[in-house]
Structure formats: C-alpha cells, structure tokens
Amino acid sequence: MSGIVKHFFLVLAVLFCTYSYAHRGDYIAITDVNVTETEEAYVYSFLIENIKGVPYTNVKIDFWINMKSVFFKRYELLDGNVKFTKESFTIPKRLLNIDEDLVNIEVTEIFGKKSDWGGWDSQRSHGRQVNTLYSEFYIDAPWRMNKNNSNGVENSVPIHFFLHDADLVVGTTAQIDKIDIQVKNATASSFGAPLTFDSISDAMFANYFSHGSVVDTDMSIQGFSMNSFSTSSSTTIDFDINSDFWNDYVLVDATYWYFNFNIPPAALIGMDNIIDIQVTIHYGNLTWSDDVSGVRVFRSDEDIPHLANYYRGDTHLHSLFTQNDAEIGLPMESTKIAAKHIGLDWITSTDHTSDYDNYGTTVSENWNRIQDWAAQLNAEDPSMIFIAGQEVALKNHEDKLVHMLAYPNMNDPYGMPFIGDGNGDLVATSVTVSSALAQLASINAFAYAAHPYATEDKLPLVPVDGGIWNVGLNGFPTNGSNFPRTGGEIICNNPSVTSDVFSTESNKLIKDALLGSQIWNTRGVLKSTGNELDPWDVDNSGDGFTVSDTASTGFFLKKFRQGQEIVNSINQLGLALKNQDENYENWKMFYSAGSDAHGSFNFSNTDDFAGFGTISDNAVGKLNTLVYCPNGMGSDGAGILDALYHGRNVLSDGPIMAIGISEDGANGVNEILMGDDASINLLSSDSYYLNFNYVTTSEFGDVTEVKFIVGTESGEYEYVMPANWPVTGNHLETLSLNDVLESTFPSGVIPENEHFYIRAEMSCFRDLQGQEVAHKISYQNHHSFSNPIWIKYEEIFADVDELTLSTRPNPFHDDFYLLVQTTEPMDVTIGIYDKQGKLIKNELRYVNFNKEILYNANELGLANGTYTIRVIAGEEKKNIQVVKY
C-alpha cells in the first residue's frame, strides 16, 4: 500500500532526540519515558501508570528490540492506591543501536493473561501499508492504468487519501489544513507548482472528488463532507470547514476518514505516459511537520491482455478489514476503483480472521459487514466483482500458525459462516486446519492453502508463533534438504508429523475442501530499504528502488517454483494412487496466484514492519488468477467460484496462455478444460487436438518460450515448442494432441490405460534499455502458467446395441462403403474430417436399422491420407477412421 505515515504525538526525551509513542492501554500505561546514557549502557526510565486505580496481579512488562523480547520485569502486585510506579531498564550498548533499532516497552501480561495491553514505542519510519501507532495518512494510486477509456477520451488519474487511527491522537485532534498535489513526467528532474483549480467553480471542483467515507459509528468512520473544502490559487485542496485562532482545516477525530481525488485530464495535457505524483499533507496543528509522499503511475495505450471468457482477478487481497499491529488494508470501494483501472475483473477479499476482533463490534457482525459491503458494491457496478472470502488463521499439526484462503459455495456466495475465532494475531487460535476444512466441506465451500510451502513462506515466530504447512510427503526430500530443482531449504516436509494436506481417510489423498495451493504470492521485482514514502524516488533524492536478487529464495519466482515442486509431487502421488484404484478421490491439486496486497495500489512494504525490511513493487493485480467462465462471472461471482473450484484457471503476471483439448478435430473449441480429468479414445485419438490460446502486449513483452509439461506418477517431462509463432498479439494455435505427447514422452510412446496430466508455461521478455530512469530496471520477464488437464488414453467402445459402424474396403482407393447400424430407425448425422480436423462433408441420413452408404474419393476431393468419420445417433456418437491410398 502506498501512503504517508504520520505520528502526531511527539515528546522529546532527556538526552536524545528520541520521540515517544505511548499506545495507552485501558488498564496500565507506560508514560514519561526518558533515555539517559552511561559509558556502557542506555537507561530507559519510565512510569507505570495504574489507570483504573485497582490492584493488578501477575503483571509482565517486556523490553523489545526489533520486535524481540530481550529483558522483562514481573510484578506480583501493582497496588491500586499507587497511581505511578517508577521503573527502568538498563540496556548494554552492545545490544542496541539507538539510532536504528526499534524499541518497545510493552505490557504483555495482566493477571497472567497474555495480550497487547499497551506500551511505548520509539520512533521509527514505518512502511506504507504497515499499521503504526497513532494516526497515519496513506496516499495511493494505481500502478498501471489505461491512458484512455473505450471512447478514446483520456482518463482521470485517481488518488486515494486514507486517514487511519485519527482517534488515537494524544492531547489534540487531527487537523488537515490543505493538500498539495504536484505532477511531472517520470524522466523530469523536478516538480513544478502544485495543481490549482481556482479558475473553476467550487461545484465543478467537487466533481473531482469521489468515494468519500460515509458515517459508520460502529466502525468509527467519519463521513467525508463535500462542504469541507474549496479551491485555492496556492494549493490543490484547501480544507476550511473547521477553524481556530490560527487556521482553517477539517477536524478528524474518528478512526477512519477517506476520499478519492481524480486528477482531471486537463491537468495532464502534454504529459508522458509515465507520470510521477507528489502529495504534501499540511496540518493545522502548528507543531506537526508536513508529510510528503510520491507514487509513479504507468499509463498504457493498450488494454491489459485479455482472452475471451477469461476474467482476471486477485485471489488474495486485504481490505480495510485487515487491521492489526503490523498490517492494514484500504476501503473496498477505493480498492474497486483502483482494481478497475489496473484491469481486474474480480477480487476475493481475504481479510485476516485473526483481525475480526480488532475493529467494529462483534466478530460475526464484522463478517456480516464485509459481506454486505461486497454485495452493495457488486449491485452498484457488476463489472468488477468482490467475493467475500477469508484468510483463516489456523493451527497446524505442529501447533504453529498458518494461513488458508477460504471461499464460499458457488451456489451461495454469501452463505459461508465465519471460519476463524478472531484470534491468531497475538493470542493463539483454537481453529485447526482439519476443523476449518471440515466446516467448509459441510457447506460445499472450499479452500486453497495460502503461501504454503516455500522456504520464505513461513510466518514469523514473533509475534504470531508462525509456522508453515506440513506436507508430510514420503518420497520427497525432507526438512533440511534442498528443493531438487529450485534449490533452497525445504521446511514444509516432515513425514514424522501429521500432514496438514493429506487426508486420513483410506480412499482420499487430500483433505476434503482443500482444492489448491496459492503458490504464487506477491510479485517483487524491485526493492528498497530507503524512503518508505517514496521508493520510486520521484523527488530524485537517490534512495529509490533497486533490482531484487533473482537468485534469492525470497525472490517471488523462486518461491513459486518451490511451491510448484511440492504441488507437482502431490499430483504425481495422486496419479499413482488413481492408477491403482479408479475409485480414489481427492487426488488432484490446483494452482492459484494472488498479490497478498494490503491495500497497496502502487507499491508495498508489508515486509517493512516497523521500518525494518524492504519495500517492494508488489501491488493489487501484480499477480493474477484468470478464470474460465463461458457464461460470465455470474451473480456475485458464482461463475468465478465455479472455475476456482474446478481448477479452470491460469496464473499470470501480465500475459496469458490457456490450454484445452478439442475432441472432434482442429476446430479450436475445447470440450476438455483445465482441471478436468478425461478419457482419450484410443480408437479415435487422431481427432483430439491441443489448443493453446495466448496473448501479450508491448507492456509485458514478446513471447520467448512456450513449453508443455507432461506429468506422470514417476515425474515430469518437458517439450519446448519451436519458436515459429507470432510473438505479440492474441493467437490461437492448434496442435495434434498425439504429436505433442509423442514429442514430450522420452520414449515417444504415449502410455495407455494410465492417468497423467499436461500443463503449459509461457515466458515473455520486455527490453527496457534506455528506460531505466522510469522503470528502475533494464528488462522484465513475465509469465503465464496453466493448471493441468488430467487425461487417460484408453479404448472406449460405443454401446453396440445402439450404434455400430464399419467400412469396406479399408484402406480404399476410389470408393468405400460406410455401414451404419442402429437399434431403431432414426436420423443420424455423418461428418467426415481430415487429419487436421477440417470438416470435409456433413450430412443427415435416415437409417432404418442399418444402411450402407457409398462415398467416392473424387467427389469428396480426398487426397491420400487418414480421415475420421463421426456418426451421431441420438445420444450416441462414434468415430471410425478410413485410409485413402
């Protein structure tokens, strides 16, 4: 999430310019923190304030450095008659870099009960979607958008303003005086004057504002008033609804307050497609400094890549309803606007179940509120659908916290109950992987494991006691070994511990309701440890984004490949079990992708908690799951859920490639879809064709590689397509399925009577040499990955009691006879196809139990070769091949 972080309450310490932030609890507070220096140590002296004036037993106070407890003090009793108790921590200098390290003095236990009871925090620069103490002002804009709308008219650029925790300002109330917005080309060295609109009326100026907050007392949302501002000749937005002796301003004392300002096209005349926007927030409170934030918007002359009947979405995204000590999301209506500009068709809102007790009223009422908000937005504008899902905080089989993406029943998008228990951020959850999946299965809902298997996917031990999904897969290298193909330490496979993935039922491989794994999570090509308010370096200070280390196991594509190794191995085990027993269930696992963005329309630093870690260019829609919905997205996303349930989806960070199989020739129409398991009739296998439809644009680069991967119970085999297709645009290629498989299997022989799968991958390359100033990188790779199609080659005979076919002679030279036999008189449809699937002749014939039909090669225009004859009689259809010599 892009944004500006503002701490409103500043208290100067005794010796150092160290600012204190006291997030007061309801019972005990840490106040008057002073830091003094000795030769060997820093001494943090403070007061323990008994707020209620009642006795408290079993109190624990921790001294944290960078979110780790290094010292603590326990108190058997804090006397209710003593208002303030003096205390101190002495910290050796070897343990603390006072200029860089984050320090917290936290009340972690009262009456022996662990919780976040309040405390004190030293000043650190915090990240954009990182939730920090006291008020924060976030500024955000879409990372990409179409420059023009469908009518060729230039689009406004939406800027989102979000004030959070304004009610926690100590000693005063947030006063927003004015806002300056400046715009420049990304290649320009400096900004000009702020945009001003004093030449237009206030009523016309008001049209530039949208999606302002609406009063909600339960959520502590302050309404955005269209009467709170006016135009000015010196600033962009001048707030003046409230005033005091010094200033005019707008007074914000609720938790949330937000709005969009849409920069009009008239203000962007002559600008390049890549623009920088700098925003300065001016406060009415004289003691507060101004905040400056920068974002970069990439405007495109092309639509984001699109395939007919495929809808682009984000399966893992956090909204306003993710609120904890480390993370925060943005309002759903503003997210929808940004998502539409970026090019998304749908979003599954997956807020942390562990956060539902951190805001609003009750957990269940908060869940209802999210669903109602999604339903309202869908009704207002069904062109971009919200699906209310949950990122469920779970206890795995090692009693560690893991996450799961829960999605509702496709037939009842608002029928899913709250799966979590409201715990899991600081207090351990009691919900287990097995209990959550059982609850989902009981209502025909389903789940994908969230960021489950990679080396860097493990949730942090501090403060959430995090872990990782345990596969427990025999035959795959165990914990401490390296991933065979990708490298990096395996931490998700301990066969001696109960599996979080596999079912305990004898005829099922995977637990009920667990249909897939979200193994592509976040996309970060660029990173920064510099100014968290301006990683694009729009002010040219020199501390912006640099290129990520692609060899690191933390690189997003490395994490994906590690997860892919695990899912592929699960699917290979599934093939082995299915080949042994056709009645085996739950033997397939699908892939999905999601940005895991917390708001984050422009860039992200979820990994920059408390100023430590990195900022990345991840954002809403940077990673997509495209679902195949031939009948549209459906009411409230029913079609999307159906596609996710059946694995009819592809993964993409821009370009798209989808695959399917035609069973009746090279007509480009798929009867067998991704996620399906289907039989290929050996008697007519020449009529099956593999279709791959792909699209890319100059924004995401030229196609450099397409490969098909066949998976069997013993491993995977790859076939790289010769590069003889167009590298840009939207194209459909149709290949003989037999030819592809024979080229992929090392022996050239397609196995019969055993299940295997085929999937596809596509890579694109974009050369950015000469554009490094704007893009911060000299090239980019983009990818698309299909879900598998499971198939089995076997002989399939039509019911001889209803329809039989024969030909004579076969092979033939001039004439041949087709004998059609049926169990009763009826009309039949006869089609003759060449080897490429082209229809040569199609006719309707009446058959009175049996009919022999004469065909002449010259009349049909048949050259030497193999031809397929398809006959459809009622519900039966049958193919037979003839050879012309």
Side-chain angles (χ1 to χ4, degrees):
M1 176 201 310
S2 311
I4 293 176
V5 176
K6 179 67 180 178
H7 296 284
F8 290 113
F9 181 55
L10 308 182
V11 177
L12 191 63
V14 173
L15 285 184
F16 301 98
C17 294
T18 302
Y19 298 109
S20 63
Y21 305 85
H23 54 296
R24 291 176 65 84
D26 295 327
Y27 307 99
I28 296 173
I30 304 298
T31 66
D32 291 357
V33 179
N34 294 318
V35 186
T36 56
E37 182 180 12
T38 69
E39 185 175 348
E40 299 293 335
Y42 298 110
V43 179
Y44 284 74
S45 58
F46 55 94
L47 296 178
I48 305 172
E49 179 184 356
N50 189 323
I51 297 172
K52 301 289 188 182
V54 298
Y56 297 106
T57 61
N58 296 325
V59 176
K60 182 185 178 188
I61 298 177
D62 284 76
F63 190 96
W64 288 357
I65 299 177
N66 300 333
M67 301 307 295
K68 293 184 179 180
S69 178
V70 292
F71 297 102
F72 64 87
K73 295 179 181 291
R74 285 193 178 275
Y75 307 86
E76 292 185 6
L77 174 68
L78 290 179
D79 193 331
N81 296 316
V82 178
K83 181 67 172 178
F84 295 99
T85 302
K86 292 184 178 180
E87 191 55 89
S88 66
F89 283 102
T90 300
I91 311 301
K93 288 185 174 179
R94 61 182 172 80
L95 296 181
L96 177 64
N97 182 333
I98 198 166
D99 294 322
E100 297 294 332
D101 291 341
L102 173 69
V103 170
N104 307 80
I105 301 174
E106 299 289 327
V107 182
T108 56
E109 293 183 25
I110 300 178
F111 301 122
K113 178 176 175 57
K114 296 179 180 179
S115 187
D116 179 12
W117 295 107
W120 171 91
D121 306 272
S122 65
Q123 182 191 25
R124 283 291 300 166
S125 296
H126 290 69
R128 290 183 162 228
Q129 81 275 350
V130 171
N131 187 11
T132 58
L133 305 170
Y134 294 118
S135 286
E136 306 155 321
F137 218 133
Y138 298 118
I139 311 300
D140 226 325
W143 59 273
R144 63 107 34 220
M145 59 179 288
N146 283 12
K147 184 175 182 179
N148 300 315
N149 65 21
S150 58
N151 296 320
V153 178
E154 188 168 338
N155 284 314
S156 300
V157 176
I159 309 297
H160 179 60
F161 294 82
F162 179 64
L163 180 58
H164 170 259
D165 278 350
D167 60 325
L168 296 184
V169 177
V170 176
T172 186
T173 303
Q175 299 174 5
I176 313 304
D177 181 10
K178 56 186 179 179
I179 295 176
D180 289 334
I181 301 175
Q182 296 162 276
V183 182
K184 70 175 180 67
N185 292 326
T187 53
S189 58
S190 61
F191 289 95
L195 299 177
T196 58
F197 299 94
D198 58 310
S199 62
I200 63 175
S201 67
D202 285 350
M204 186 175 294
F205 184 53
N207 291 330
Y208 298 157
F209 293 80
S210 66
H211 302 90
S213 51
V214 177
V215 175
D216 185 333
T217 55
D218 286 340
M219 283 292 292
S220 187
I221 298 176
Q222 178 171 315
F224 178 80
S225 172
M226 297 298 286
N227 299 316
S228 62
F229 55 83
S230 61
T231 61
S232 167
S233 61
S234 59
T235 190
T236 308
I237 307 172
D238 187 12
F239 290 100
D240 51 17
I241 194 172
N242 305 117
S243 63
D244 57 19
F245 181 79
W246 294 279
N247 291 291
D248 296 329
Y249 47 78
V250 61
L251 200 68
V252 181
D253 58 6
T255 303
Y256 312 107
W257 179 74
Y258 53 86
F259 63 94
N260 274 16
F261 181 80
N262 302 287
I263 301 176
L268 303 172
I269 294 174
M271 303 294 293
D272 295 340
N273 279 7
I274 306 174
I275 59 174
D276 288 340
I277 301 169
Q278 185 167 272
V279 175
T280 304
I281 309 292
H282 301 270
Y283 299 98
N285 305 54
L286 296 178
T287 58
W288 299 348
S289 62
D290 300 331
D291 283 325
V292 182
S293 178
V295 294
R296 179 162 292 174
V297 178
F298 295 81
R299 300 188 295 170
S300 177
D301 294 321
E302 303 172 285
D303 289 338
I304 199 165
H306 174 75
L307 278 180
N309 297 322
Y310 279 85
Y311 296 87
R312 185 182 292 267
D314 197 329
T315 63
H316 190 166
L317 189 114
H318 296 269
S319 75
L320 172 67
F321 300 101
T322 287
Q323 300 281 339
N324 59 59
D325 288 343
E327 298 161 319
I328 182 176
L330 291 181
M332 292 173 74
E333 61 263 53
S334 300
T335 301
K336 180 166 186 167
I337 295 303
K340 287 184 66 173
H341 277 287
I342 289 166
L344 297 187
D345 302 303
W346 58 273
I347 285 172
T348 53
S349 182
T350 50
D351 291 294
H352 295 139
T353 58
S354 55
D355 290 352
Y356 277 62
D357 57 347
N358 295 342
Y359 51 79
T361 51
T362 66
V363 166
S364 60
E365 288 172 349
N366 288 337
W367 171 232
N368 291 336
R369 180 179 283 107
I370 293 173
Q371 293 179 301
D372 291 344
W373 206 336
Q376 177 184 336
L377 291 172
N378 292 343
E380 291 173 355
D381 178 10
S383 67
M384 210 297 297
I385 293 292
F386 263 114
I387 295 172
Q390 300 168 26
E391 183 172 21
V392 188
L394 303 170
K395 185 166 58 176
N396 70 2
H397 284 89
E398 294 181 302
D399 288 334
K400 299 295 183 183
L401 183 72
V402 296
H403 288 167
M404 180 182 76
L405 303 177
Y407 303 123
N409 183 333
M410 68 189 80
N411 297 314
D412 190 7
Y414 299 111
M416 186 170 69
F418 185 70
I419 303 299
D421 60 5
N423 293 326
D425 45 2
L426 294 176
V427 179
T429 179
S430 61
V431 180
T432 66
V433 170
S434 295
S435 66
L437 288 172
Q439 188 175 5
L440 290 172
S442 70
I443 58 169
N444 293 319
F446 63 99
Y448 280 55
H451 40 75
Y453 311 123
T455 306
E456 305 291 335
D457 280 343
K458 186 176 181 180
L459 296 177
L461 287 174
V462 178
V464 298
D465 196 23
I468 197 166
W469 285 70
N470 180 49
V471 184
L473 179 60
N474 289 309
F476 192 82
T478 56
N479 287 353
S481 305
N482 286 331
F483 283 90
R485 298 183 61 137
T486 313
E489 183 183 358
I490 297 169
I491 61 173
C492 66
N493 192 40
N494 183 355
S496 65
V497 175
T498 302
S499 172
D500 298 316
V501 175
F502 296 138
S503 173
T504 56
E505 296 185 52
S506 59
N507 67 328
K508 296 178 180 179
L509 175 60
I510 300 167
K511 294 177 186 289
D512 285 339
L514 182 60
L515 301 185
S517 295
Q518 186 235 340
I519 56 174
W520 211 3
N521 185 78
T522 74
R523 185 185 192 274
V525 171
L526 303 175
K527 66 177 182 180
S528 174
T529 56
N531 183 0
E532 72 282 352
L533 306 183
D534 182 22
W536 285 107
D537 194 26
V538 303
D539 63 1
N540 290 305
S541 61
D543 62 350
F545 278 135
T546 58
V547 181
S548 297
D549 180 7
T550 59
S552 166
T553 55
F555 186 62
F556 77 96
L557 201 55
K558 286 275 189 179
K559 292 196 295 181
F560 166 74
R561 290 299 189 189
Q562 289 180 341
Q564 192 180 45
E565 285 195 56
I566 295 293
V567 176
N568 292 346
S569 295
I570 293 171
N571 282 330
Q572 286 155 25
L573 176 58
L575 290 169
L577 295 170
K578 188 69 172 178
N579 287 332
Q580 293 172 17
D581 181 0
E582 281 291 344
N583 295 317
Y584 220 86
E585 299 178 0
N586 300 5
W587 57 285
K588 301 182 300 184
M589 178 167 279
F590 308 132
Y591 307 142
S592 75
S595 68
D596 199 358
H598 292 62
S600 309
F601 306 158
N602 198 262
F603 62 83
S604 167
N605 58 5
T606 303
D607 296 327
D608 190 53
F609 178 67
F612 295 89
T614 57
I615 306 155
S616 75
D617 61 333
N618 182 51
V620 174
K622 283 277 187 171
L623 288 182
N624 306 141
T625 298
L626 290 107
V627 292
Y628 177 67
C629 303
N631 299 313
M633 292 188 288
S635 177
D636 290 302
I640 298 164
L641 292 167
D642 179 62
L644 289 172
Y645 185 92
H646 291 101
R648 292 172 183 158
N649 48 282
V650 297
L651 286 55
S652 168
D653 60 356
I656 318 168
M657 185 184 73
I659 63 171
I661 295 175
S662 167
E663 59 183 14
D664 54 359
N667 56 17
V669 178
N670 299 318
E671 286 82 31
I672 302 173
L673 307 173
M674 289 174 293
D676 286 350
D677 52 282
S679 294
I680 304 298
N681 192 348
L682 278 168
L683 301 176
S684 56
S685 63
D686 283 346
S687 67
Y688 290 83
Y689 280 77
L690 179 66
N691 302 310
F692 72 96
N693 200 178
Y694 66 95
V695 58
T696 186
T697 63
S698 59
E699 184 178 353
F700 298 100
D702 293 345
V703 178
T704 56
E705 183 180 74
V706 172
K707 61 182 177 182
F708 299 104
I709 300 98
V710 172
T712 70
E713 60 183 77
S714 59
E716 287 195 330
Y717 311 100
E718 296 181 356
Y719 169 59
V720 178
M721 283 285 296
N724 57 359
W725 60 85
V727 296
T728 60
N730 188 330
H731 298 280
L732 172 66
E733 300 290 332
T734 300
L735 303 169
S736 165
L737 180 62
N738 283 349
D739 289 349
V740 172
L741 294 176
E742 288 169 357
S743 299
T744 306
F745 281 105
S747 64
V749 177
I750 303 170
E752 298 178 8
N753 300 312
E754 81 178 48
H755 295 272
F756 58 90
Y757 63 75
I758 183 169
R759 59 182 184 84
E761 300 183 358
M762 183 177 76
S763 301
C764 294
F765 176 84
R766 185 182 184 190
D767 188 352
L768 294 171
Q769 292 189 66
Q771 304 177 58
E772 292 90 344
V773 171
H775 292 271
K776 304 294 184 181
I777 194 169
S778 61
Y779 69 91
Q780 285 242 19
N781 291 305
H782 293 273
H783 303 84
S784 184
F785 306 96
S786 82
N787 262 291
I789 302 172
W790 283 262
I791 54 180
K792 178 182 181 181
Y793 271 61
E794 59 183 336
E795 290 188 354
I796 303 173
F797 296 94
D799 188 342
V800 295
D801 292 333
E802 296 183 20
L803 173 67
T804 58
L805 304 177
S806 62
T807 60
R808 64 178 179 88
N810 191 12
F812 70 94
H813 183 65
D814 294 316
D815 299 321
F816 73 91
Y817 290 87
L818 171 67
L819 176 63
V820 182
Q821 295 177 294
T822 59
T823 55
E824 59 183 272
M826 65 175 67
D827 289 321
V828 302
T829 301
I830 301 172
I832 302 176
Y833 300 83
D834 65 14
K835 189 171 184 179
Q836 284 70 44
K838 179 181 178 182
L839 181 64
I840 296 170
K841 185 177 181 63
N842 190 65
E843 62 179 349
L844 188 68
R845 291 287 191 120
Y846 178 76
V847 176
N848 188 7
F849 295 106
N850 64 76
K851 185 176 186 66
E852 193 168 54
I853 306 166
L854 174 66
Y855 290 104
N856 178 265
N858 291 329
E859 291 178 359
L860 294 172
L862 303 184
N864 291 346
T866 302
Y867 297 86
T868 299
I869 302 172
R870 165 163 290 192
V871 179
I872 301 174
E875 296 297 320
E876 284 289 326
K877 60 184 177 182
K878 187 173 181 181
N879 295 341
I880 191 169
Q881 290 184 337
V882 294
V883 177
K884 164 80 168 64
Y885 66 92

